[in-house]
Amino acid sequence: MGREFVEIFDEWVHSYDESVSGKDPEYRDVFAKYDEILLAVAKKSFGTVVEFGTGTGNLTAKLIAAGYSVIGIEPNAAMRTVTAKRFPELTIIDGDLLVFEAPQKVDTFVSTYVFHHLKDPDKEKALSLYASLLPIGGKIVFADTVFTSEEAKQAQISKERARGFNNVADDLEREYYTTIPVLTETFEKAGFTVQFEQMNDFVWLMDAIKK
């Protein structure tokens, strides 16, 4: 269910914002245009928004600024503490992409850099779950590292190894990064229309609407 990676953030919580701001050379390309990515997710959302993986609250801040009612879901206790201090009025629930307390009403599910924590069959389960909770016209707006093909993924891993960025390469091999064709089929099977927009060399914006 993706919780096998939760403990990674016990340490990363202390340097996460430095990483996303580009101060870590190894992850600079992964987080290129980070603020633009967050804004794009916020702009495509509406209504009552459930955010998976609130982290340190960077996307949360954009959603609140846009005037949405936000419910945060975060499996890591350290991250929940950071976000709770930053937004004491926010409801933050211990949960993950598949197991969470469903709100009575939700219009948009959002996340950034989170969906890859699920294997492809679990991604399918998750999207079916979200479809059952959303009204017609409800949305999923995710931004995450995705590849155009498996060959493109392997080429990126080779590129990272060649420039000595072994942490990034290890991450790409360890976690469950998938491809646009696989995701397109998965979204459509769950009852969504979906569009993809590339945001940087790694991250694509997924904008899905329930039919």
Side-chain angles (χ1 to χ4, degrees):
M1 293 183 289
R3 284 196 177 237
E4 61 264 43
F5 304 109
V6 167
E7 292 181 359
I8 293 173
F9 294 92
D10 288 340
E11 291 298 324
W12 203 9
V13 66
H14 304 294
S15 60
Y16 184 80
D17 286 337
E18 289 187 1
S19 294
V20 301
S21 66
K23 293 181 180 178
D24 182 346
E26 191 162 359
Y27 282 88
R28 189 170 292 151
D29 289 351
V30 177
F31 292 109
K33 301 181 181 178
Y34 180 68
D35 196 64
E36 183 179 326
I37 291 168
L38 301 185
L39 282 171
V41 172
K43 286 179 180 179
K44 290 184 178 294
S45 305
F46 76 98
T48 298
V49 179
V50 170
E51 179 189 357
F52 292 111
T54 53
T56 57
N58 297 322
L59 174 59
T60 313
K62 306 292 187 189
L63 297 169
I64 291 174
Y68 306 134
S69 175
V70 182
I71 300 166
I73 296 175
E74 170 59 57
N76 181 272
M79 289 290 196
R80 284 199 305 275
T81 298
V82 170
T83 308
K85 288 181 179 178
R86 188 173 176 183
F87 306 104
E89 75 285 359
L90 184 70
T91 299
I92 307 174
I93 301 169
D94 180 6
D96 57 51
L97 288 158
L98 276 174
V99 180
F100 58 94
E101 183 181 344
Q104 291 185 339
K105 178 182 183 296
V106 57
D107 299 300
T108 313
F109 286 105
V110 303
S111 73
T112 52
Y113 298 87
V114 174
F115 204 36
H116 65 271
H117 292 147
L118 294 181
K119 297 177 181 178
D120 285 350
D122 285 332
K123 290 185 180 75
E124 184 174 331
K125 292 177 184 177
L127 295 184
S128 295
L129 173 59
Y130 309 155
S132 73
L133 297 171
L134 287 168
I136 300 298
K139 300 188 75 177
I140 297 173
V141 186
F142 286 174
D144 202 1
T145 293
V146 183
F147 296 94
T148 55
S149 66
E150 186 61 30
E151 291 76 15
K153 176 181 175 179
Q154 295 305 318
Q156 190 69 48
I157 292 170
S158 297
K159 176 182 176 180
E160 301 308 323
R161 296 276 184 217
R163 58 181 182 167
F165 291 172
N166 289 312
N167 288 325
V168 176
D170 289 346
D171 177 58
L172 292 175
E173 291 181 332
R174 178 178 59 245
E175 300 197 35
Y176 311 123
Y177 297 97
T178 192
T179 66
I180 289 176
V182 169
L183 281 175
T184 299
E185 181 179 354
T186 305
F187 273 105
E188 291 177 350
K189 184 177 179 180
F192 294 90
T193 58
V194 62
Q195 294 183 326
F196 294 86
E197 178 185 351
Q198 189 166 14
M199 304 299 293
N200 63 31
D201 287 346
F202 289 80
V203 174
W204 289 72
L205 183 70
M206 306 165 227
D207 184 12
I209 302 174
K210 182 180 173 181
K211 294 185 285 186

